[in-house]
Amino acid sequence: MATTTAKPAAIEDGGRRAVLTQEDRRALLRYMLLMRATEERALALYRQGKVPGSYYDGRGQEAISVGSAFVLGPRDRTCILHRDLGAHLIRGVRPGRVLAQMMGRAGGVTGGKDGNMHFGDTELGCVGMVSMLPDMALVTCGLALSFQMRKEPRVAMTWFGEGSTANGQWHEAMNVAGVRKLPAVFILENNQFAYSTPNEREFAVDPVKRAEVYGFPGVKVDGNDVEAVFYAAAEACERARSGGGPTLIECETMRMHGHGAHDDMRYVPKELFDVWAERDPIDRYERKLADDGIDVEQITASAKEEIERETEWALSQPMPEGPEALSGVFATSEPRLGDGNAPWSFWKEAANG
């Protein structure tokens, strides 16, 4: 059942096809640029002492979160990993709110709480991340089970690294998803290292083949090709909505920064960096769009201006008042997950309606 493909076929759905328009393609580049620029600015703020704790980014992995989250509709739900800022941005979180969050400011996504990696705007359908990374796969199964029980054509999507696939919680999630044919999409980001442990010491069998063991399809895509990720995710979401159950998508990529800002990655051979630098997802996509006649310089300039405005706004935000430290810590009402943005043209009518 496991297959390997560079670009899955477009999806047929009642005469509609999951084909990206030129407007969609410009948006994909814009979100990748915003993700990288936001993270570069956050890293600079960390080095200035304005971001407490450590800092974790997803440089080199922008195509994965952007390409997959771009598929989702407004009522779908996400459990986002700390290296997938692009998914937050697509759901509607502004870069300034992310930067304020990193600095513990009142204007942050959770008002200065939850640190720089556990945040999620529930009003936009984003569940805050649990540090034990595979645990978000279990939360995703819970969301998907509720959709299935209510007979709602909705999808729950989550992201995790290949290191998570060695954890017992991950296997429990895959098992229940397969047994119940849950409408879930699992995005596996194989970035070559689980902290400092390389792939060859992580597993004896390619993780994507494990999907077949649990009774559902697994596919492997080039994780540095945003359109390949998009089409794989579109096919998986369509399968989930139509009652076909979950899909595991393994996206091959490379973590181009350390596990955290404190990690100098001295355990990674330089030649490996050089190989993957040539495959940078943003550089590749800029060249591709430019060859197709799209004004890449205008998109780049617009993203740069946006980050400048958002950074200025974030820095103007005050630190939260003391009593705020206790607000929202304990549940006082029924939790609510609201609807997020749905930028893909396929969903615009539903999102606006």
Side-chain angles (χ1 to χ4, degrees):
M1 194 177 294
T3 59
T4 300
T5 177
K7 185 174 182 179
I11 314 304
E12 294 284 355
D13 175 38
R16 295 179 299 182
R17 291 174 60 87
V19 176
L20 293 165
T21 65
Q22 295 295 72
E23 181 184 352
D24 295 330
R25 301 174 80 202
R26 284 190 285 268
L28 287 174
L29 176 59
R30 172 178 172 269
Y31 280 115
M32 286 199 293
L33 289 167
L34 286 178
M35 176 177 168
R36 180 166 294 183
T38 303
E39 292 189 328
E40 286 178 344
R41 193 56 58 93
L43 184 58
L45 292 169
Y46 167 79
R47 288 170 174 162
Q48 293 169 10
K50 293 185 171 67
V51 174
S54 189
Y55 179 69
Y56 305 84
D57 69 359
R59 187 180 183 87
Q61 302 181 203
E62 294 87 352
I64 301 175
S65 58
V66 169
S68 52
F70 200 73
V71 174
L72 297 173
R75 301 188 68 227
D76 295 328
R77 299 292 182 251
T78 57
C79 295
I80 305 171
L81 187 67
H82 58 293
R83 301 196 197 283
D84 295 302
L85 176 60
H88 286 286
L89 299 178
I90 286 177
R91 297 301 293 183
V93 178
R94 282 176 38 217
R97 293 182 67 206
V98 174
L99 293 172
Q101 179 74 23
M102 301 297 171
M103 294 186 286
R105 305 290 179 100
V109 178
T110 59
K113 293 188 286 289
D114 297 308
N116 59 33
M117 60 187 293
H118 298 134
F119 62 93
D121 190 330
T122 56
E123 293 294 324
L124 298 174
C126 308
V127 180
M129 195 186 85
V130 179
S131 286
M132 305 310 293
L133 301 182
D135 288 8
M136 295 306 283
L138 291 167
V139 176
T140 302
C141 287
L143 290 166
L145 180 60
S146 71
F147 302 155
Q148 185 183 66
M149 293 175 69
R150 297 170 186 163
K151 303 185 185 307
E152 298 172 340
R154 302 163 68 184
V155 174
M157 180 179 286
T158 191
W159 296 257
F160 43 77
E162 83 287 345
S164 296
T165 66
N167 187 290
Q169 303 284 58
W170 183 85
H171 289 277
E172 291 182 26
M174 298 304 111
N175 186 57
V176 72
V179 168
R180 292 182 174 271
K181 291 190 177 301
L182 297 179
V185 177
F186 302 108
I187 308 294
L188 192 172
E189 298 174 282
N190 186 347
N191 61 14
Q192 312 300 315
F193 288 87
Y195 206 136
S196 59
T197 304
N199 274 184
E200 59 268 24
R201 294 192 177 185
E202 292 185 71
F203 35 73
V205 176
D206 191 319
V208 74
K209 294 182 180 178
R210 297 175 188 169
E212 183 175 359
V213 175
Y214 290 113
F216 54 88
V219 298
K220 185 192 296 287
V221 299
D222 180 348
N224 284 18
D225 182 339
V226 68
E227 293 191 11
V229 175
F230 169 84
Y231 283 109
E235 184 172 359
C237 286
E238 190 48 42
R239 180 180 299 111
R241 288 187 217 286
S242 61
T247 302
L248 175 67
I249 302 172
E250 180 183 5
C251 302
E252 291 188 306
T253 186
M254 174 67 184
R255 195 187 72 215
M256 299 302 285
H257 277 173
H259 176 75
H262 53 279
D263 175 17
D264 62 10
M265 293 188 79
R266 66 181 63 182
Y267 47 83
V268 178
K270 180 180 181 303
E271 54 269 26
L272 190 59
F273 275 122
D274 294 340
V275 168
W276 282 94
E278 290 295 319
R279 301 177 60 187
D280 182 89
I282 294 178
D283 291 347
R284 287 173 64 187
Y285 203 49
E286 285 180 335
R287 290 195 295 269
K288 184 175 184 176
L289 295 191
D291 289 343
D292 290 344
I294 292 177
D295 188 350
V296 170
E297 291 185 3
Q298 186 277 328
I299 300 171
T300 303
S302 176
K304 185 177 180 180
E305 290 175 5
E306 182 172 347
I307 290 301
E308 293 300 322
R309 290 196 305 272
E310 293 291 315
T311 302
E312 186 176 346
W313 179 86
L315 288 168
S316 72
Q317 297 302 297
M319 299 301 288
E321 297 293 333
E324 288 298 312
L326 299 177
S327 66
V329 176
F330 300 101
T332 56
S333 60
E334 188 72 16
R336 178 179 180 275
L337 282 175
D339 296 344
N341 282 356
W344 182 31
S345 57
F346 188 92
W347 293 106
K348 278 183 177 174
E349 183 178 346
N352 294 330

